[in-house]
Amino acid sequence: MKKFRKVLDGLTTSSPGGTIGTPSCGSAAGTPTAAPTPKEIDVQETLISENFQLCKTVRHGFPYQPTALAFDPVQKILAIGSRSGGVRILGRPGVDCYCQHESGAAVLQLQFLINEGALVTACADDTLHLWNLRQRRPAVLHSLKFNRERITFCHLPFQSKWLYVGTERGNTHIVNIESFILSGYVIMWNKAIELSTKTHPGPVVHLSDSPKDEGKLLVGFESGTIVQWDLRAKKADFRIYYDEAIHSVSWHHEGKTFMCSHSDGSLTLWNLRNTSKPFQVTFPHGKIQKDGRKESCKPILKVEYKTSRSSEPFVIFSGGLSYDKAGRRPTLTIMHGKAITVLEMDHPIVEFMVLCETPYNNEVQDPYAVVVLLEKDLIVVDLTQSNFPVFENPYPMDVHESPVTCTAYFADCPPDIIPILYSIGAKHKKTGYSQKEWPVSGGSWTLGSHTYPEIIITGHADGSVKFWDASAFTLQMLYKLKTSKVFEKPKAGEGRAAELVEEDPFAVQMVSWCPQSRIFCVVGISAHIILYRFSKYDANTQIVSLEVRLQCDSEDIITPSENENNPCFAEPGSHSPQPHHQHPLSPGSRTPEGAKDSIPCLKVKDRVVRVPPGYQSELVIQLLWVDGEPPQQITSLDINSAYGLLAFGNLNGLAVVDYLQKTVLLCISTLDLYGATDPYQRLTRSPRRNRQSTSGLTELTDNQQSTDMDRSKSPTSDHVNGHCTSPTSQPCSAGKPRIPMGPEGPRLTRRGPGRPPFRKAQSAACMEISLPVSHTEGHASRRAMLQQLHGVTMYSHDEHHTTTTPYCWTERESRENSFSRSRSSSVSSIDRDTKEAVTTLQFGESYGRKNDVLPGPCLWVGTSLGVVLLIPMSIPIDHEERMEDSVTVGPSGAVQMLKGSVLRFAFLDCSGALIQGPYEVWRDQNAPEDSDRPRRRKLVHFSPSSSQDACGEGHLTVVCSERQAKVFLMPSQSCLFVHNITESSFVLRADVVSVCNSVCLACFCANGHVMMLSLPSLRPLMDVNYLPLTDMRIARTFYFTNGGQALYLSSPTEIQRITYTQEMCDNLQEMLGELFTPIETPEAQNRGFLKGFFGGNTQTFDREELFGEAAAGKASRSLAQHIPGQGGVEGMKVAAGGAVGELARARIALDERGQRLGELEERTALMMTSAETFSKHAHELMLKCKDKKWYQF
């Protein structure tokens, strides 16, 4: 039991400066402030540092920039390598593992040790790695680094422990898989080719052993040379010199012929009886022109030649199309007999692999599917049906179907919400898939004991929103919502609207969801908000549009007060909102095409529309153009279903909307929220004295001096700092709901000087920053980062237009820029040319003024200057009164000040428990009416005073900003604890989360640190440097949730989930799927006695005898360096700790020992059976030939 002595007496108030000012001891962690009238609070903080540990759990989505593909035909698991050094291993749904090479080098090739539970990876840094897959978190057992040669191709024969490695110099080396040591046996390029050959054959592009004889190795060189090397005799059996470069080779299973694909789009078939010329040359897509010549075709990058028992062979290849057909999509061609099927792909083909029934290359292959790895998708084609349908992919590979722009993560959701969303979404699933089961079915996965309903929401650049079931470390799409259906489509050719059609006007900027009431809000990049209600019934509805005029026509200069660190606030109790004033238009606000005024960026459908079951739009709120100036993007949003209110803010001010009555209650600038309690002295000036004419998002101004001055501003002077004065005084017209009836929509024309109404969607998938080279890069990077993080741009009508010009959105996906650490900032270093944005909002039951006795509905407002404001509201309680009477809203002034922009609010009772916000219980408004049970709103309230009998009145408010966290007491507004989170960086994401039956404050900083602070004392519990180099994608998508989990977009196509609790780290082994399951290796087919007797069977040979150290000697030490890995038990010690980890290791060791014993027993039994059969046949043959004469044979 920890006791904190704090101020609890609300009757004895301190001076305003003491209430608002930063305590002198604020630099210490969790330092209490001075209190004139102390009263004891007993808060039992149960969280300790040992409760926290940070580790990755699972990664969802499509592997970003894939490079390689492999499949284990016995275990039936699939591996995908990527350019960043990652490896994804997939099995049955639930079996999904991500591995990462420490070097980060691109994966060139993957080779499974078939049915052995191991994987070999060849990377671009010329290193081979052996991964142990017999544990749930694979680890590297061995590595082999080549020093003098570059790896180009690898081949591992089935049931062999010797890996063939081809190099760029044309040499072929052999590696022992067990010890990962090079053999002394080397096939040198100059030995493989004839001595008379004057040119180098080029890199090795193919290696394979002959299906007829494992002692013969086929080596393909890039130049077109093919050599069959006799491993025993150490000489070439034959050499083929072809004019066209070779890309791939594929054997017929009998080992008598093989097929090659070439750079001219041709396929050549070679017979071993005559290697002087190809047995057959075909150009599958090359037609004969009028002059008799063949069309020139693109290279065939890969070919696979597979035989079938029941039909003719399959020849499957990628590429080979003719050059004259420009714009054709990438294709996969399937030649089956005389039938040629061309499958067009949406993305370029990286690799494909044919799945066959047998792992033996000398048996009839019987292909049943082909896996096609595209640049941005993974598909599997069913070869057993004539129309070649694709399988329905059970993995969430379409996270990036449209670039992800925002995320949200909800743990411990109501248990009924997932089945309902799934039942609605299942009605809209695509059809036409293969009816067979997904062929990648390896591994095992069971539902763990630590499972609860989890939902992930992703917003996308095309305006779509996806709901995903994220329970038990899986990800399955439940429901997809298209927000663009609310609006009319922008038509090309109307004025200059054609410029905007290709952009993303519907891109989702943020979402707000109440799982209990099922109310959902979407904020779009075109300064619009859509409110949705959930219904299980379809309906005909008229979308109500509400237009809000929230724009500044003048600007003030912020001048820090004399008492900068402790600005004095007047007592806000008697303050009333300031009246709005109309400001005359400035001549500079008109554009050459005429000033736009009072029109939104998009046009809402003005007709009755039929909406299907699911989320149905009820209200659309749009900000308007004012005097030729586009609306600023929305930076904050909160909705409360119990109050029936929605609040949002941007760079100009704040608006509160009653969505039940469809009216605007408050539309006010940030400055007017202060009234007499404004902590800054603001001097009015001409609103456009620094206007400069620019015509693009990245076009530099001629006034380079102003750009340099802007770069050298304080790190706090980001885009969201500053203020603005009151908007134009038209709140009445703004507050009326509008159902547009006119035939013409708003003109989507772009004004000349200034910014467009919306830019191309800044997807979180490709958010990077081009930072200028400057001595003030630390300041500039933070400014640019925050501009993109909050979705606000600094080309407003009263700015230089130079703030954003050094920073441009890029579509480059190859690198991720890091952000420089900005220096510490304080309130005294505020830019004079910036505005004050509303950065966070929170509805809740609180005390609007210091002298309040009972809590009531309030809206907490946080600004970019670190100011916390409180707005009390009066809401009718009765249902009928609530629908008829108006809600009164009255700002009461500033409450607290923090360093940096305010990011998060949370409320605790005096026992330290989290107070949930009130909500309305969900009711289906489209359900058939029941006369016995009238439809009324059912509200659930969590009053701060409901559990305060033992602790007294009041509650605790937690406020977190970019640099600071504070806990203060309501209603006295006394600061109890303050903690400076960071001095050298700034917080990007902060959430108050429930974990281990308690609550804590979770923070993610721009320097990559993840921190946990106890509540209410703000005692540091964890500080881990998790992501040393971060970028905008991670900054915009990082999200903490309850239960010790978090997520972020680790690449443009992948979602990475992490945990920050020790309990989940300990149980991680149990929750993940098993990659390896003991399966008996299928037996080779019996080829018959006579066929084997007359030499038709494959010839086996002892590779150990040829490649071992005794016969081949040792390889040169300078050629390659062996690096021991951390796999096996060592890797498992890292992955799992404690008693659970020890038990898991013991269990896996026993399983492996039992498996080996079982395999030994099975092999012994098979040998005995084989011996008995052989003895029986020999005895029968002896009896048959016993009495025959020699001439009778």
Side-chain angles (χ1 to χ4, degrees), residues 21 54 160 206 284 366 470 491 588 755 802-803 853 891 1077 1105 1125 1137:
L54 197 68
S160 169
H206 176 80
D366 279 332
K491 296 181 180 179
R755 77 174 183 89
T802 59
T803 309
V853 179
T1077 53
E1105 184 180 338

Side-chain angles (χ1 to χ4, degrees), residues 667-690:
C667 182
I668 190 172
S669 71
T670 316
L671 176 61
D672 285 342
L673 288 172
Y674 291 106
T677 63
D678 189 359
Y680 304 108
Q681 299 173 4
R682 308 174 193 252
L683 306 176
T684 58
R685 61 164 178 149
S686 174
R688 295 172 181 85
R689 66 180 176 88
N690 288 322

Side-chain angles (χ1 to χ4, degrees), residues 885-901:
D885 296 349
S886 60
V887 176
T888 58
V889 179
S892 62
V895 175
Q896 274 282 349
M897 277 200 64
L898 293 88
K899 296 179 181 178
S901 301

Side-chain angles (χ1 to χ4, degrees), residues 247-558:
H247 286 281
S248 70
V249 181
S250 182
W251 280 98
H252 187 279
H253 80 276
E254 292 180 351
K256 298 177 182 179
T257 58
F258 60 87
M259 185 176 289
C260 301
S261 67
H262 300 277
S263 57
D264 63 345
S266 65
L267 295 174
T268 56
L269 188 63
W270 299 83
N271 194 313
L272 298 190
R273 293 180 181 178
N274 181 13
T275 57
S276 60
K277 64 178 181 178
F279 174 73
Q280 183 181 1
V281 180
T282 56
F283 288 82
H285 295 298
K287 298 179 182 179
I288 300 177
Q289 297 175 340
K290 293 180 180 180
D291 55 1
R293 291 187 298 177
K294 288 275 187 181
E295 287 181 322
S296 58
C297 296
K298 299 177 182 178
I300 295 179
L301 300 179
K302 183 178 181 181
V303 64
E304 293 221 24
Y305 186 23
K306 302 297 181 183
T307 54
S308 175
R309 285 190 180 87
S310 58
S311 63
E312 297 185 52
F314 284 87
V315 176
I316 303 172
F317 61 89
S318 61
L321 293 179
S322 58
Y323 278 106
D324 61 343
K325 295 179 180 178
R328 286 193 63 176
R329 294 190 292 179
T331 60
L332 182 78
T333 305
I334 302 174
M335 299 173 62
H336 189 210
K338 295 182 179 179
I340 299 179
T341 305
V342 180
L343 304 179
E344 289 191 340
M345 304 295 168
D346 294 330
H347 309 285
I349 297 174
V350 176
E351 173 74 284
F352 75 88
M353 183 166 289
V354 179
L355 309 187
C356 301
E357 296 288 351
T358 176
Y360 297 93
N361 65 345
N362 59 352
E363 296 179 355
V364 179
Q365 300 297 289
D366 279 332
Y368 59 90
V370 54
V371 180
V372 187
L373 178 64
L374 308 177
E375 278 191 359
K376 295 185 178 180
D377 201 1
L378 175 73
I379 64 171
V380 181
V381 181
D382 187 356
L383 295 179
T384 61
Q385 300 183 41
S386 57
N387 59 340
F388 303 126
V390 298
F391 290 88
E392 185 177 5
N393 198 326
Y395 314 125
M397 293 292 184
D398 56 346
V399 172
H400 64 289
E401 184 179 16
S402 174
V404 178
T405 52
C406 69
T407 60
Y409 191 7
F410 299 87
D412 205 8
C413 299
D416 59 336
I417 190 70
I418 290 180
I420 290 178
L421 287 173
Y422 181 79
S423 63
I424 297 294
K427 299 176 183 178
H428 304 284
K429 282 194 172 183
K430 297 178 181 178
T431 56
Y433 293 110
S434 172
Q435 299 301 314
K436 295 193 174 183
E437 292 186 2
W438 179 253
V440 186
S441 56
S444 62
W445 179 78
T446 55
L447 199 63
S449 57
H450 301 271
T451 58
Y452 43 83
E454 300 173 73
I455 286 181
I456 292 173
I457 300 176
T458 55
H460 299 265
D462 63 353
S464 61
V465 177
K466 294 181 181 179
F467 290 76
W468 306 83
D469 178 9
S471 308
F473 285 163
T474 61
L475 195 70
Q476 192 73 31
M477 194 173 82
L478 296 172
Y479 175 72
K480 182 177 179 179
L481 175 67
K482 295 182 179 179
T483 63
S484 59
K485 289 187 175 182
V486 174
F487 303 100
E488 301 284 359
K489 291 183 179 179
K491 296 181 180 179
E494 293 183 357
R496 300 182 64 187
E499 300 177 19
L500 308 179
V501 173
E502 294 183 0
E503 297 184 359
D504 299 309
F506 310 113
V508 178
Q509 203 168 2
M510 67 180 76
V511 296
S512 178
W513 186 47
C514 177
Q516 289 79 16
S517 64
R518 301 182 189 175
I519 287 182
F520 185 57
C521 263
V522 176
V523 175
I525 203 168
S526 299
H528 64 269
I529 301 172
I530 311 174
L531 185 143
Y532 291 90
R533 285 185 183 270
F534 187 83
S535 175
K536 294 189 289 185
Y537 305 91
D538 55 0
N540 296 320
T541 181
Q542 177 88 39
I543 303 172
V544 180
S545 175
L546 195 62
E547 296 177 348
V548 178
R549 189 181 177 93
L550 186 62
Q551 189 81 6
C552 292
D553 286 336
S554 65
E555 184 178 17
D556 301 326
I557 295 179
I558 302 175

Side-chain angles (χ1 to χ4, degrees), residues 795-1108:
Y795 23 70
S796 64
H797 61 282
D798 3 54
E799 300 279 342
H800 291 288
H801 294 284
T802 59
T803 309
T804 57
T805 50
Y807 320 108
C808 59
W809 295 96
T810 67
E811 295 289 334
R812 289 171 296 175
E813 300 174 341
S814 59
R815 74 177 191 276
E816 297 179 350
N817 291 319
S818 61
F819 297 110
S820 303
R821 279 63 166 161
S822 58
R823 296 195 296 269
S824 173
S825 69
S826 64
V827 182
S828 61
S829 60
I830 299 171
D831 270 342
R832 296 171 180 259
D833 290 342
T834 55
K835 294 181 179 180
E836 183 174 13
V838 176
T839 54
T840 185
L841 296 165
Q842 182 72 53
F843 286 105
E845 296 284 316
S846 187
Y847 301 86
R849 294 173 178 83
K850 288 185 178 181
N851 54 1
D852 285 354
V853 179
L854 296 175
C858 292
L859 174 63
W860 290 79
V861 182
T863 74
S864 56
L865 293 186
V867 180
V868 177
L869 301 129
L870 188 56
I871 301 177
M873 300 173 293
S874 176
I875 303 175
I877 299 175
D878 184 73
H879 176 72
E880 285 76 13
E881 293 180 357
R882 176 65 185 86
M883 302 305 294
E884 297 175 0
D885 296 349
S886 60
V887 176
T888 58
V889 179
S892 62
V895 175
Q896 274 282 349
M897 277 200 64
L898 293 88
K899 296 179 181 178
S901 301
V902 180
L903 301 177
R904 188 68 57 204
F905 293 114
F907 310 112
L908 310 176
D909 60 25
C910 288
S911 63
L914 186 65
I915 301 174
Q916 301 291 338
Y919 63 87
E920 175 190 0
V921 178
W922 174 72
R923 56 194 175 94
D924 198 333
Q925 293 187 332
N926 296 335
E929 295 189 9
D930 188 353
S931 57
D932 298 334
R933 308 178 77 179
R935 216 179 285 168
R936 299 178 64 88
R937 300 177 72 226
K938 182 180 178 182
L939 308 181
V940 177
H941 286 271
F942 300 92
S943 175
S945 59
S946 59
S947 60
Q948 303 300 314
D949 298 337
C951 303
E953 296 180 352
H955 70 88
L956 305 177
T957 299
V958 181
V959 186
C960 184
S961 72
E962 291 177 336
R963 299 180 183 278
Q964 230 177 18
K966 285 188 178 183
V967 176
F968 55 96
L969 179 68
M970 298 299 291
S972 67
Q973 303 179 6
S974 303
C975 183
L976 304 183
F977 296 97
V978 61
H979 175 66
N980 290 336
I981 300 173
T982 177
E983 294 292 341
S984 60
S985 183
F986 53 96
V987 178
L988 291 171
R989 178 79 195 186
D991 291 290
V992 175
V993 293
S994 298
V995 57
C996 301
N997 299 319
S998 187
V999 291
C1000 66
L1001 176 62
C1003 301
F1004 173 62
C1005 297
N1007 59 6
H1009 283 248
V1010 176
M1011 303 179 183
M1012 299 292 157
L1013 303 175
S1014 68
L1015 291 176
S1017 66
L1018 299 177
R1019 177 171 43 91
L1021 297 171
M1022 184 184 76
D1023 186 354
V1024 177
N1025 188 5
Y1026 175 62
L1027 293 171
L1029 301 178
T1030 184
D1031 61 17
M1032 274 311 306
R1033 179 181 59 250
I1034 297 174
R1036 284 189 71 111
T1037 58
F1038 206 101
Y1039 203 103
F1040 292 102
T1041 190
N1042 298 329
Q1045 294 198 72
L1047 67 79
Y1048 60 92
L1049 215 65
S1050 58
S1051 75
T1053 61
E1054 294 171 288
I1055 294 174
Q1056 177 68 58
R1057 291 165 69 177
I1058 63 174
T1059 180
Y1060 48 87
T1061 63
Q1062 182 67 52
E1063 180 184 7
M1064 187 165 287
C1065 288
D1066 292 340
N1067 296 321
L1068 195 57
Q1069 295 291 327
E1070 176 190 346
M1071 299 177 185
L1072 297 175
E1074 290 271 8
L1075 292 173
F1076 180 80
T1077 53
I1079 299 175
E1080 182 180 346
T1081 302
E1083 294 184 23
Q1085 293 179 2
N1086 187 4
R1087 301 175 63 87
F1089 176 77
L1090 292 177
K1091 197 169 186 179
F1093 186 80
F1094 289 106
N1097 202 356
T1098 57
Q1099 300 180 25
T1100 58
F1101 75 107
D1102 188 0
R1103 293 186 177 92
E1104 180 70 32
E1105 184 180 338
L1106 284 175
F1107 306 145

